[in-house]
Amino acid sequence: MSTKILIIGACGQIGTELTKKLRTLYGVDNVIASDIRKLNNDIVNNGIFEVVNALDYNQIEHLIEQYQITDVYLMAALLSATAEKNPAFAWDLNMNSLFHVLNLAKAKKIKKIFWPSSIAVFGPTTPRDKTPQYTIMEPTTVYGISKQTGERWCEYYHNIYGVDVRSIRYPGLISWSTEPGGGTTDYAVDIYHKALKDETYECFLSEDTALPMMYMDDAIRATIEIMQVPIKNIKIRSSYNLSGVSFTPKEIANEIKKHIPKFIISYKPDFRQKIADSWPASIDDSCAQEDWNWKKKFNLASMTVAMLENLK
């Protein structure tokens, strides 16, 4: 049976890039994009697109049957900073959309699920440097609580019902092709836009706040690789740690100055500082390296070159 893919939340920051890449790999007709509303963009205009509410089980089930879907990538979520403003809806969306696809897999309607977790599952009591795969997890944000709970449910559905669900804990993701989506790590996207446009940037985090980040190309590659490896390679059914590059606002500003010498950064920490302070500074992803041969390609220097060239 050929692979038929449904992406829920295809117009988001990750979904946009993921949909494009999957369509080149599997063919436009085999990748069905869906989101809560129909935007006028490449994802909608260059392939099959369906409007779907991730909270509506029947809508999702109907699409799966209509297109004979084998794999679901559930990318719909309310991110960290946005979720803090609407906790009840964030919990509803982040949890119940997951239950819908897990239950569809339990009912043998689909074969495989990708569900993204996040470094937000960690908290202030987690070891900050080289955060291990197995460690203390006491998240302090709505987003982090929902992701940690989701990890437990993914593991449960695999252990009890044999559901093939695969997950990675994304660090902060940096992409030139989509606007920042309301995450705490989004300063590292915005800073490139402002550097090119105004040559100044006011950062909402302090200059020495180190956070784990990853260039979007690496994140998309990891997402597809974990779904393509044989089932026996996936030893962790909660979510895999994934590491890209860790840096502070000061370090990214210095890297930008190599290309834009007049660039000036200032600092005005806001409520997102507290969120950032609860997260790791760097991640140990040795389990992903061992189990499915994960390797990052981009560092801060190569990512900065790619971001500035593409944004120009």
Side-chain angles (χ1 to χ4, degrees):
M1 189 179 176
S2 65
T3 302
K4 294 276 282 193
I5 295 167
L6 173 65
I7 303 163
I8 301 171
C11 292
Q13 189 189 22
I14 307 168
T16 303
E17 302 288 307
L18 182 63
T19 304
K20 287 176 188 170
K21 189 67 180 172
L22 286 169
R23 280 174 174 169
T24 62
L25 289 171
Y26 291 96
V28 173
D29 294 340
N30 293 319
V31 180
I32 288 74
S34 70
D35 215 310
I36 189 76
R37 59 185 161 272
K38 196 168 187 172
L39 302 171
N40 183 18
N41 63 15
D42 287 353
I43 301 306
V44 175
N45 300 332
N46 299 332
I48 303 167
F49 181 86
E50 297 280 357
V51 173
V52 71
N53 181 350
L55 289 170
D56 190 326
Y57 180 92
N58 293 330
Q59 272 188 356
I60 298 169
E61 184 183 38
H62 174 71
L63 283 186
I64 284 165
E65 288 170 354
Q66 182 183 345
Y67 292 103
Q68 297 178 301
I69 298 296
T70 58
D71 298 9
V72 171
Y73 290 72
L74 176 60
M75 311 310 287
L78 221 56
L79 299 182
S80 58
T82 319
E84 289 305 298
K85 294 169 186 169
N86 198 342
F89 177 66
W91 176 259
D92 190 25
L93 175 63
N94 295 358
M95 294 313 308
N96 286 318
S97 60
L98 174 59
F99 275 128
H100 292 339
V101 292
L102 287 173
N103 285 323
L104 285 159
K106 177 189 166 188
K108 303 283 188 278
K109 305 253 178 170
I110 45 177
K111 286 185 172 178
K112 245 192 296 192
I113 297 165
F114 177 82
W115 175 79
S117 190
S118 162
I119 57 166
V121 295
F122 303 120
T125 52
T126 303
R128 289 211 69 201
D129 296 305
K130 285 276 180 197
T131 300
Q133 175 68 42
Y134 300 103
T135 186
I136 299 164
M137 294 160 77
E138 295 185 319
T140 55
T141 63
V142 179
Y143 181 62
I145 293 165
S146 70
K147 287 297 183 186
Q148 194 205 7
T149 310
E151 287 191 14
R152 301 274 67 80
W153 280 115
C154 287
E155 194 173 62
Y156 180 87
Y157 269 74
H158 174 74
N159 292 340
I160 305 299
Y161 307 119
V163 169
D164 186 2
V165 57
R166 306 176 183 201
S167 178
I168 49 187
R169 292 172 183 150
Y170 287 127
L173 297 181
I174 299 173
S175 164
W176 57 269
S177 65
T178 46
E179 291 296 312
T184 300
T185 52
D186 276 350
Y187 90 85
V189 179
D190 203 25
I191 194 169
Y192 289 110
H193 287 268
K194 297 285 198 304
L196 284 167
K197 189 166 156 250
D198 308 323
E199 296 188 347
T200 64
Y201 179 65
E202 184 178 86
C203 186
F204 55 73
L205 299 177
S206 66
E207 66 174 31
D208 53 358
T209 306
L211 286 170
M213 302 282 191
M214 179 171 280
Y215 189 51
M216 187 63 85
D217 289 30
D218 271 348
I220 298 302
R221 193 166 51 80
T223 304
I224 294 168
E225 281 177 8
I226 195 174
M227 286 293 273
Q228 287 179 335
V229 295
I231 196 165
K232 67 180 189 325
N233 290 57
I234 307 298
K235 310 274 200 299
I236 293 168
R237 291 295 180 162
S238 51
S239 192
Y240 277 93
N241 271 4
L242 203 67
S243 177
V245 51
S246 286
F247 54 81
T248 65
K250 189 177 181 180
E251 287 168 337
I252 192 174
N254 288 338
E255 198 60 45
I256 289 170
K257 279 177 193 171
K258 292 176 185 175
H259 305 273
I260 305 169
K262 289 180 181 173
F263 177 64
I264 296 166
I265 187 168
S266 58
Y267 302 94
K268 192 179 177 184
D270 66 12
F271 74 99
R272 288 167 286 198
Q273 183 66 48
K274 193 177 173 190
I275 298 174
D277 289 341
S278 74
W279 288 351
S282 59
I283 301 284
D284 173 4
D285 64 359
S286 50
C287 291
Q289 293 177 42
E290 286 161 25
D291 291 0
W292 43 282
N293 205 24
W294 160 249
K295 288 181 189 71
K296 69 168 186 183
K297 284 184 179 169
F298 286 85
N299 60 21
L300 180 55
S302 57
M303 180 183 77
T304 297
V305 170
M307 282 294 288
L308 292 174
E309 281 181 359
N310 283 299
L311 284 174
K312 274 175 191 166

